[in-house]
Amino acid sequence: EPEVTQTPSHQVTQMGQEVILRCVPISNHLYFYWYRQILGQKVEFLVSFYNNEISEKSEIFDDQFSVERPDGSNFTLKIRSTKLEDSAMYFCASSFLRATDTQYFGPGTRLTVL
Amino acid sequence: AQTVTQSQPEMSVQEAETVTLSCTYDTSESDYYLFWYKQPPSRQMILVIRQEAYKQQNATENRFSVNFQKAAKSFSLKISDSQLGDAAMYFCAYRIGGGADGLTFGKGTHLIIQP
């Protein structure tokens, strides 16, 4: 069964460094998403992406974040200058359609900022 | 803004018994979708069941079923014949139909299965 994959599973970085989290969505899906989950808290929507541009973003997704689909398979989330509070689990998700379709999640990347 | 409330931080059930997890939501929309996701210790979010608001019939997936009360804005998940593998965090989630993309999640219910 097709699934969303994410790399790395765990990323440790120093405060102020840039990180790139990678995702490979399900191959025929058209919509891509990033969510984050700070330890012990609820999952929060960051951004959605379709047709090579941002479709929607939350207030969390400020200028330090960016997303990109650099090729036909990968979808990346870049955090430009990491802060301690960026430590969280980051989930990528994809869906075939937009409004009506189920989003399928990847296993997540645990980001630890020291 | 839409909100999703899960009032039970933790639930415990004996193996083979039935348990119901509660979820309420607040919205002024008429077209929306509701989901239950499971997050086992591996942390991956796995879809359990979904419900379209326009459907009156409650969704069912094997041992999992929902009780969708649209007027009360309630969306509970019933797990029958609980199994050890059902132990996980369960998140209720909401999404507006026809527009906004992001899922709004509740805080989750930690389900413990007693052998």
Side-chain angles (χ1 to χ4, degrees):
Chain A
E1 187 175 324
E3 57 183 23
V4 177
T5 60
Q6 291 185 241
T7 55
S9 57
H10 190 191
Q11 173 92 46
V12 181
T13 190
Q14 295 290 327
M15 188 170 57
Q17 295 296 306
E18 174 184 287
V19 295
I20 297 176
L21 309 182
R22 291 183 167 80
C23 168
V24 178
I26 294 173
S27 62
N28 67 337
H29 284 188
L30 303 176
Y31 295 87
F32 315 115
Y33 314 84
W34 283 102
Y35 291 81
R36 81 172 183 191
Q37 184 184 29
I38 296 172
L39 187 63
Q41 298 188 22
K42 65 171 71 175
V43 178
E44 301 172 292
F45 169 72
L46 292 178
V47 66
S48 60
F49 191 85
Y50 169 71
N51 199 26
N52 280 321
E53 60 182 31
I54 290 174
S55 178
E56 186 196 12
K57 60 183 181 179
S58 73
E59 58 189 25
I60 301 170
F61 193 86
D62 61 23
D63 291 345
Q64 71 159 343
F65 292 96
S66 62
V67 288
E68 188 179 33
R69 188 153 164 84
D71 53 44
S73 59
N74 289 283
F75 177 52
T76 62
L77 173 70
K78 181 192 290 185
I79 308 175
R80 213 177 319 276
S81 178
T82 50
K83 304 171 190 168
L84 294 177
E85 55 264 37
D86 293 328
S87 294
M89 197 78 167
Y90 288 81
F91 292 101
C92 173
S94 71
S95 65
F96 180 58
L97 298 173
R98 181 185 183 189
T100 61
D101 208 16
T102 296
Q103 295 177 19
Y104 293 90
F105 283 74
T109 292
R110 181 186 301 278
L111 176 65
T112 302
V113 182
L114 302 177
Chain B
Q2 291 76 30
T3 58
V4 176
T5 301
Q6 294 180 249
S7 58
Q8 306 152 317
E10 187 173 280
M11 292 282 284
S12 181
V13 64
Q14 292 286 334
E15 194 176 2
E17 294 189 348
T18 296
V19 63
T20 298
L21 309 184
S22 301
C23 172
T24 59
Y25 57 95
D26 185 23
T27 183
S28 57
E29 303 291 332
S30 59
D31 179 21
Y32 54 88
Y33 301 82
L34 296 163
F35 306 84
W36 279 97
Y37 282 89
K38 169 184 177 181
Q39 187 181 45
S42 65
R43 303 296 301 275
Q44 180 155 11
M45 300 284 286
I46 302 166
L47 177 70
V48 175
I49 201 165
R50 65 174 265 164
Q51 174 81 42
E52 293 85 350
Y54 63 84
K55 289 187 178 178
Q56 292 188 337
Q57 187 171 7
N58 290 323
T60 299
E61 287 287 341
N62 300 314
R63 298 182 294 107
F64 299 87
S65 61
V66 298
N67 183 6
F68 174 47
Q69 302 288 328
K70 191 171 184 178
K73 297 180 182 175
S74 170
F75 182 61
S76 60
L77 174 70
K78 185 171 86 170
I79 306 173
S80 304
D81 186 25
S82 298
Q83 300 176 0
L84 293 177
D86 295 333
M89 282 292 288
Y90 286 81
F91 292 96
C92 178
Y94 162 99
R95 182 184 187 183
I96 297 175
D101 299 323
L103 291 165
T104 300
F105 284 86
K107 289 186 175 182
T109 296
H110 181 211
L111 179 63
I112 298 167
I113 310 294
Q114 304 278 5

